[in-house]
Amino acid sequence: MSQIDSTMIRNIAVAGHGDTGKTSFVSSLLFTAGATNRHFHVDEGNTVTDFDEDEIKRKITLSTSVCSATWKKHKLNLLDTPGYSDFICDAFPALAISDIVAFVVGSGSGDEFNLERLWESGDALPPARVFLVNKLDKENMSFEKAVSYIQSLEQNAIPIALPIGSEAEFKGLVDLLENRALQFDPGTGKAKAMEIPSDMADAVEEARMSLSEAVAEVDDALLEKYLEGETVSSDEIREALKTGLLESMVFPIIPVSAETNIGAAYFMDFAVNYLPSPVEVPAKKAGDTEIPCDANGKMVAQVFKTTVDPYTGKISIFRVYSGTFRSDQTIKNVTQDDSEKISGVFFLQGKTQSSTDQVVAGDIGAIAKSKTARTGDTLAAPDWKTAIEPLNYPKPLISFAFKPATKTDEEKISTALTRLAEEDPTLRYERNIETNELVVSGMGQLHLDVTQDRLKRKFGVNALVTRPKIPYKETVKGKADVRYRHKKQSGGAGQFGEVSIRLMPLPSSDAEEASEGLLFVDMIVGGVIPNQYIPSVEKGIRSTMVHGIVAGYRVKDIRVELYDGKSHPVDSKDIAFQIAGAQALKQAFTQASPILLEPIMNVRIVVPEANMGDIIGDLNSKRGRVMGMDSEGKKQVIKAQVPLAEMQMYEPELRSMTGGRGQFTMEFERYDELPGNLAEQVIAEAKKSED
Ligand SMILES: Nc1nc2c(ncn2[C@@H]2O[C@H](COP(=O)(O)OP(=O)(O)OP(=O)(O)O)[C@@H](O)[C@H]2O)c(=O)[nH]1
Ligand SMILES: [Mg+2]
């Protein structure tokens, strides 16, 4: 296969709010460019990029997929990213490795909060950013409204084309750069020149002025010329626009309809003529080392996505920043400090692989069954030293307990979750040793629903999903002094052990010395309990602590002094002292004002100003304490401490309180006493489940 020149590549992430038509637009591009022989539709479940069964079933994109179209000898790599809140995080790695982002806007109503969220990530976005106003064939869809919404986000966004006709009559566009009109054939997506409709003359004139003005801003000399009233040539505008795109100073807006194939050809022409190739964008960095895009340089690539399928195995998708990734080489995984022999490299068209012998600098390729590659890893020539910064993923926001339905499910579930987490870094799971539950965490309820489905469909694992238990702890507030004798005489050898203990809360000065929540102090003098049985007493106490005393939760932060006891020359044995220790603790515990402790989380919430009142009111009703407030851009930041029990469903709650515009993170802070009435409920629950 002949090698494509890096300058002929365009890496385009297609991103935006959910349901705006990203996948449909990619489908329209593929069809118009002849990469597919039919125009596939999301609603028919046959698009190239929404190929996963769960995507087809739900008609939404769950994870980024890669395909490409050839347009005028250029290779356009298209990354179709998810737009729904639960899955949007998968858009970030695609944005991080692309040179261009096409934001698809799908309504004029101005509530595309996930677009706003992506837009706010600023420097994490590719330098060249274009807005596509989609669905212009649809009733009530207004280009003007969508433009003012986009301009409310970014004042340097400016139309470079105007729609001809609206709703069902939308048929083409006026190209403001070339001052010409184009009509599109919905059957092929191809463009044909037409007259600029006479009733649009004024609008076109005005839009061309605004565009010239916006573009002139890029270049001081040009701006001066413009302000002096001198004519600015089309060539000058074109050059300035290219610079403006590269330097994130101008953001073109293009009207399209993915459904009726209008604008796809225009966008691809624009990509080829104006949008930067991998050679033109600022060089990627690994630490302080620049990685210029040069197919003859040292090979450096980064894996930005992993997919794992029980049938086809693991696929690692990477972007080559420099050099040429060959199919028959030994590469170094710089991040893992490991190396492996590559056998086979391919390009992806959705799920379809086409093998190649090389992937040049700037291009995107994939390898199968890599032993070392994980998402974010740098794969490079053996003598390359510095890893590219790994990709960032947010912490999960919601957790559920996954209970395997049968013994077979139990055996398979961990392996299955490991595989799923390998392709989805926002999915985490762990066995909570306190509650003994398998806790699976993700970005939202839908995310965990999909996980439950995938476990079943891909791995045949059935799991019941419930809210996870809160890992409460038990401790005491008071002191107690207990003497306990364990004596058993039933036929043969008897058992005898007697202990006297003092129980009290662990003083903070002892905290360092304690282990697993207990400081056990041996105060036995004169061998009243023989030395070898002292550890038995401690063991009995510790095993009781694990299973809890009043409500079945782990006991923590206690100090136990063993100060007296008795033994029997024949009947004293390890088990007898273990039982005596355990029973003594149980008695002492109930006498020493036992309490429950609950986990308190540090929460950081970012919301629009307008939601502040509701959020604070809600935090108060959640027994939360607001620790501080601050502003961050147009948003307000609230820091609070809130019990975990109140925060388990905060993700959907915050989403509905803020119409999706709120974000939050939380992490464990400390344990606090659970108020008496709530503690009684928890104890009653525990008793009920014991019966
Ligand atoms: N009328 C009309 N409908 C469209 C157009 N583009 C997309 N749609 C419809 O909008 C819905 C969503 O389209 P998708 O392409 O799945 O949107 P998306 O942005 O990829 O959605 P997510 O990836 O799930 O965020 C589907 O029902 C499409 O048929 C368009 O240009 N016109
Ligand atoms: Mg999609």
Side-chain angles (χ1 to χ4, degrees):
M1 197 193 276
S2 71
Q3 176 167 322
I4 184 166
D5 194 286
S6 303
T7 58
M8 305 292 273
I9 296 170
R10 301 290 181 272
N11 290 315
I12 307 170
V14 181
H17 191 71
D19 214 37
T20 51
K22 300 175 290 297
T23 302
S24 303
F25 187 68
V26 168
S27 185
S28 172
L29 294 175
L30 292 175
F31 172 62
T32 304
T36 58
N37 55 11
R38 268 185 59 205
H39 184 193
F40 295 123
H41 294 280
V42 172
D43 298 332
E44 292 168 12
N46 53 11
T47 61
V48 170
T49 51
D50 276 3
F51 57 81
D52 181 274
E53 267 184 65
D54 293 300
E55 295 182 318
I56 294 169
K57 179 171 138 197
R58 293 183 166 79
K59 298 196 170 79
I60 60 176
T61 302
L62 300 175
S63 101
T64 296
S65 54
V66 179
C67 61
S68 67
T70 305
W71 188 254
K72 306 202 168 150
K73 302 204 172 104
H74 287 67
K75 180 176 184 189
L76 313 185
N77 285 321
L78 305 166
L79 293 93
D80 179 19
T81 72
Y84 273 84
S85 301
D86 290 45
F87 310 105
I88 190 93
C89 292
D90 202 45
F92 287 101
L95 292 166
I97 63 99
S98 296
D99 308 314
I100 299 157
V101 51
F103 283 116
V104 179
V105 175
S107 78
S109 59
D111 56 1
E112 300 189 9
F113 50 84
N114 282 333
L115 165 69
E116 295 168 27
R117 187 169 158 198
L118 294 171
W119 187 256
E120 281 162 14
S121 51
D123 287 347
L125 297 172
R129 303 162 203 170
V130 180
F131 291 94
L132 304 167
V133 176
N134 186 33
K135 302 199 186 182
L136 285 169
D137 61 295
K138 223 176 128 179
E139 241 174 77
N140 294 326
M141 181 66 196
S142 150
F143 183 64
E144 290 72 28
K145 266 199 200 156
V147 169
S148 36
Y149 173 54
I150 296 166
Q151 289 176 336
S152 74
L153 298 182
E154 172 52 61
Q155 56 179 16
N156 292 327
I158 186 86
I160 57 164
L162 294 183
I164 300 175
S166 62
E167 303 184 355
E169 302 298 312
F170 176 47
K171 59 176 178 222
L173 38 88
V174 176
D175 172 5
L176 300 171
L177 295 166
E178 304 290 339
N179 203 19
R180 59 175 180 164
L182 298 169
Q183 187 174 358
F184 296 84
D185 174 358
T188 62
K190 296 274 159 19
K192 198 169 77 187
M194 66 180 271
E195 288 280 307
I196 297 182
S198 53
D199 60 350
M200 286 185 72
D202 291 348
V204 169
E205 187 51 33
E206 200 181 315
R208 272 173 61 83
M209 294 279 284
S210 307
L211 177 61
S212 312
E213 192 179 318
V215 174
E217 299 264 358
V218 171
D219 178 339
D220 287 345
L222 202 61
L223 185 62
E224 205 165 304
K225 227 169 148 183
Y226 181 82
L227 294 176
E228 297 291 316
E230 287 176 45
T231 40
V232 176
S233 76
S234 296
D235 280 349
E236 283 173 307
I237 293 285
R238 276 194 284 270
E239 275 317 301
L241 177 55
K242 277 177 104 168
T243 314
L245 277 159
L246 247 187
E247 296 183 358
S248 310
M249 293 175 75
V250 185
F251 309 95
I253 304 176
I254 304 173
V256 301
S257 161
E259 187 66 24
T260 53
N261 283 321
I262 296 176
Y266 177 77
F267 173 74
M268 290 191 281
D269 276 342
F270 184 73
V272 163
N273 295 327
Y274 291 89
L275 293 171
S277 78
V279 182
E280 290 164 298
V281 294
K284 183 80 182 173
K285 281 186 165 177
D288 291 332
T289 317
E290 289 210 339
I291 316 172
C293 179
D294 172 6
N296 299 316
K298 244 178 215 155
M299 198 283 283
V300 186
Q302 184 177 31
V303 178
F304 66 92
K305 172 128 198 97
T306 307
T307 61
V308 183
D309 187 280
Y311 304 106
T312 54
K314 170 174 154 186
I315 294 173
S316 310
I317 314 175
F318 55 83
R319 165 166 175 167
V320 182
Y321 282 101
S322 159
T324 299
F325 198 116
R326 293 182 208 286
S327 59
D328 57 347
Q329 76 203 122
T330 295
I331 51 145
K332 178 172 168 189
N333 183 326
V334 187
T335 316
Q336 315 263 3
D337 195 15
D338 206 340
S339 63
E340 69 178 295
K341 174 105 180 66
I342 296 299
S343 58
V345 178
F346 48 90
F347 293 120
L348 281 168
Q349 195 70 340
K351 65 176 170 193
T352 312
Q353 310 174 358
S354 59
S355 59
T356 175
D357 46 11
Q358 57 188 12
V359 182
V360 300
D363 208 350
I364 291 171
I367 48 174
K369 303 192 171 75
S370 164
K371 288 186 193 67
T372 70
R374 296 177 318 184
T375 304
D377 285 359
T378 303
L379 308 180
D383 54 348
W384 183 266
K385 301 226 161 32
T386 334
I388 297 171
E389 181 117 344
L391 303 158
N392 279 328
Y393 289 92
K395 289 202 181 125
L397 300 174
I398 190 164
S399 300
F400 282 104
F402 276 47
K403 197 164 171 254
T406 65
K407 189 112 192 83
T408 334
D409 293 321
E410 166 115 48
E411 281 158 15
K412 292 196 290 189
I413 196 164
S414 295
T415 323
L417 283 169
T418 311
R419 296 276 202 84
L420 289 179
E422 208 175 341
E423 62 179 354
D424 178 357
T426 60
L427 184 74
R428 318 263 167 95
Y429 74 94
E430 61 166 11
R431 175 148 310 267
N432 187 309
I433 52 161
E434 319 264 317
T435 59
N436 198 30
E437 284 180 325
L438 186 64
V439 178
V440 182
S441 309
M443 305 312 294
Q445 260 171 310
L446 183 58
H447 187 197
L448 297 180
D449 261 11
V450 169
T451 303
Q452 187 185 15
D453 280 6
R454 288 192 163 163
L455 281 174
K456 188 167 177 192
R457 190 172 50 74
K458 289 191 164 181
F459 302 93
V461 173
N462 285 294
L464 309 172
V465 175
T466 57
R467 273 211 212 177
K469 287 187 200 151
I470 301 289
Y472 293 111
K473 297 218 160 145
E474 301 181 5
T475 193
V476 291
K477 266 168 114 169
K479 294 186 175 182
D481 190 328
V482 161
R483 182 167 196 86
Y484 188 91
R485 169 183 294 184
H486 173 68
K487 188 172 170 187
K488 208 164 124 192
Q489 222 98 47
S490 52
Q495 290 185 3
F496 184 93
E498 184 176 315
V499 298
S500 290
I501 61 164
R502 277 190 291 265
L503 167 69
M504 62 204 75
L506 183 75
S508 50
S509 54
D510 281 355
E512 293 234 322
E513 260 183 277
S515 80
E516 317 238 298
L518 168 71
L519 181 66
F520 178 78
V521 189
D522 169 15
M523 294 182 167
I524 296 297
V525 283
V528 289
I529 297 177
N531 262 343
Q532 75 263 35
Y533 297 134
I534 290 174
S536 312
V537 178
E538 182 172 352
K539 195 167 167 202
I541 287 174
R542 285 195 185 275
S543 67
T544 303
M545 287 174 69
V546 171
H547 300 109
I549 296 166
V550 291
Y553 295 98
R554 215 170 252 255
V555 173
K556 77 170 235 174
D557 293 348
I558 54 169
R559 176 181 162 107
V560 175
E561 299 171 355
L562 174 64
Y563 68 92
D564 198 9
K566 270 203 184 114
S567 65
H568 182 279
V570 181
D571 292 347
S572 275
K573 46 188 71 145
D574 172 50
I575 187 69
F577 277 100
Q578 277 195 46
I579 294 172
Q583 292 303 327
L585 178 71
K586 281 187 186 166
Q587 282 189 5
F589 202 83
T590 45
Q591 291 170 22
S593 313
I595 52 166
L596 289 183
L597 300 175
E598 64 171 337
I600 305 293
M601 310 303 282
N602 252 332
V603 188
R604 183 175 189 275
I605 310 163
V606 185
V607 293
E609 173 92 58
N611 299 120
M612 281 292 276
D614 288 351
I615 300 296
I616 304 273
D618 179 63
L619 286 173
N620 288 333
S621 77
K622 288 184 150 46
R623 302 186 283 127
R625 239 175 58 203
V626 174
M627 311 299 286
M629 288 183 240
D630 215 342
S631 59
E632 199 176 85
K634 285 187 206 154
K635 299 220 166 143
Q636 295 292 315
V637 181
I638 304 160
K639 289 188 183 147
Q641 294 186 340
V642 196
L644 174 63
E646 306 283 345
M647 290 299 287
Q648 283 188 307
M649 295 304 282
Y650 201 57
E651 193 280 331
E653 289 169 10
L654 181 68
R655 202 187 283 195
S656 83
M657 278 187 289
T658 61
R661 288 193 160 78
Q663 310 283 319
F664 80 105
T665 52
M666 67 176 178
E667 54 192 32
F668 173 75
E669 161 68 17
R670 61 167 191 280
Y671 271 90
D672 264 2
E673 181 173 351
L674 182 67
N677 54 334
L678 295 174
E680 276 162 28
Q681 282 175 24
V682 173
I683 292 169
E685 283 290 317
K687 290 248 158 69
K688 218 165 53 191
S689 61
E690 253 171 43
D691 300 338

